[in-house]
Amino acid sequence: MAKTAIIEAHGGPEQFRLIERDVGEPGPGEIRMAHKAIGLNFIDVYQRSGLYPMALPHALGMEAAGVVEAVGDGVTHLVAGDRAAYAANPPGAYSEARVMPAAHVVKLPDAVPFDVAAAMMLKGLTTEYLFHRTTPLTAGDTVLFQAAAGGVGMIACQWARSEKITLIGTAGGAEKCQLALDRGAAHCIDYKAEDFVTKVQELTDGKGVDAVMDGVGKDTFDGSLDCLKPLGMMMSFGNASGPVPPINIGMLGQKGSLKVTRPTLFTHIADPETLRAMAERLFAKVTSADVTLRIDQRFKLDDVANAHRALEARQTTGSTVIEI
């Protein structure tokens, strides 16, 4: 039996219920994994609230790290006893143990602790595709990253520095801006005190940035477009402030033949070989210390509702993990 946090209806954090359920044995192509640490992400909030509807009842959670307990027929890249980690569908990480598709799970290097792995898989793999798979970015380019003191942002600041890419971040308040600067942002704009569009234009001598990485959504989308140079790429990869309203596509031409994409991690990692290549690059960044993880909040599985409340209230910085 394994303790598991489920929801039976969409809504607020009060919808969580802890149950004990039988984990069972892995079938063909599956593994059974005992979790050591679980990651908390905004996609969990979207699924709980119903922004991303799902069949209920269902356990939540998209990333975790732990130990493989058993493997089903046909699984060759993992064996019982392996340290492993994942960011994957279907949800179900908010549990002490689970059975899941093996193709979505990667072997975890000994040098990466379980809590670090749980804090970085979804956010780190997201950073990898933003910098390497969405649009060509090379040393000397300039990007704007919205919410640079958040979980993805703190990784992105370091990633940009390691790739010699100039990252301009935004954050709410001087303290959060300093966190982003300490992690490698070249500049950080306090959006509570300054208009970020005006400041970006000042910092780029009126040229704008090559790309914007925006996980905030509704509140920043229009301004983000105004920060791009002609032919620039807008990567809208999240909805922390709510979904982006429909846009008039002709407006992109008026603003300089801009490009807009709404990527998701799960498209990129659908192919197991691509997933493993992305994970190898992420692990290399971490083991070389180009990227270090800040775990600023820790909760127990019994307290997952309060973890969600803190995340939604923008009371978190860096990464948050749920410890088993």
Side-chain angles (χ1 to χ4, degrees):
M1 303 295 286
K3 185 185 296 182
T4 304
I6 68 168
I7 60 169
E8 297 175 313
H10 292 300
E14 71 281 356
Q15 296 295 338
F16 280 111
R17 187 163 73 88
L18 287 173
I19 64 169
E20 294 278 347
R21 67 178 182 182
D22 183 36
V23 179
E25 296 298 321
E30 294 181 330
I31 64 162
R32 186 177 72 238
M33 184 169 172
H35 291 149
K36 300 296 185 182
I38 302 156
L40 180 73
N41 298 282
F42 254 103
I43 191 172
D44 307 349
V45 173
Y46 305 154
Q47 291 170 340
R48 190 211 70 225
S49 68
L51 179 62
Y52 294 173
M54 57 196 302
L56 300 177
H58 211 296
L60 295 188
M62 305 297 290
E63 74 177 337
V67 176
V68 177
E69 293 186 320
V71 302
D73 290 343
V75 177
T76 58
H77 71 290
L78 295 166
V79 298
D82 277 349
R83 304 172 79 252
Y86 66 86
N89 274 315
Y94 291 1
S95 60
E96 293 174 328
R98 69 182 295 197
V99 168
M100 65 180 298
H104 299 161
V105 184
V106 297
K107 192 170 180 179
L108 182 65
D110 291 341
V112 182
F114 290 121
D115 59 347
V116 171
M120 78 179 187
M121 287 301 292
L122 193 147
K123 293 174 279 291
L125 292 173
T126 295
T127 305
E128 197 275 351
Y129 83 66
L130 289 173
F131 279 90
H132 294 279
R133 298 174 190 274
T134 308
T135 194
L137 290 172
T138 58
D141 286 344
T142 300
V143 303
L144 172 66
F145 196 100
Q146 299 284 13
V152 180
M154 296 284 271
I155 298 174
C157 290
Q158 298 172 81
W159 203 291
R161 179 172 58 188
S162 74
E163 303 275 333
K164 296 181 171 55
I165 292 169
T166 299
L167 185 144
I168 302 171
T170 67
E175 184 177 352
K176 286 191 174 183
C177 279
Q178 190 60 52
L179 289 175
L181 293 169
D182 290 345
R183 281 296 186 269
H187 310 277
C188 193
I189 303 163
D190 179 358
Y191 63 76
K192 292 182 177 180
E194 295 183 279
D195 176 71
F196 72 81
V197 177
T198 300
K199 189 64 177 177
V200 167
Q201 294 302 325
E202 290 178 5
L203 291 169
T204 60
D205 296 324
K207 297 176 182 177
V209 298
D210 297 284
V212 176
M213 301 171 180
D214 190 333
V216 176
K218 177 174 65 68
D219 289 353
T220 54
F221 184 83
D222 290 343
S224 288
L225 291 178
D226 290 334
C227 292
L228 285 167
K229 62 175 56 172
L231 305 177
M233 169 64 83
M234 168 68 169
M235 309 177 206
S236 179
F237 69 94
N239 316 290
S241 66
V244 175
I247 65 169
N248 172 9
I249 196 169
M251 168 262 294
L252 301 177
Q254 297 165 11
K255 290 180 180 290
S257 301
L258 303 181
K259 295 166 281 189
V260 176
T261 184
R262 178 53 171 95
T264 72
L265 172 62
F266 303 109
T267 305
H268 287 280
I269 64 175
D271 173 62
E273 291 303 317
T274 300
L275 165 60
R276 290 168 203 165
M278 292 172 67
E280 285 178 10
R281 180 178 272 134
L282 172 60
F283 295 152
K285 291 285 188 186
V286 173
T287 55
S288 68
D290 281 340
V291 170
T292 59
L293 272 290
R294 274 186 58 134
I295 302 174
D296 290 341
Q297 299 80 212
R298 296 175 186 269
F299 294 84
K300 294 298 185 182
L301 188 58
D302 298 39
D303 204 27
V304 68
N306 282 331
H308 273 235
R309 291 185 181 101
L311 185 63
E312 288 183 279
R314 308 283 181 91
Q315 294 173 348
T316 65
T317 55
S319 295
T320 303
V321 298
I322 300 166
E323 298 177 315
I324 301 298

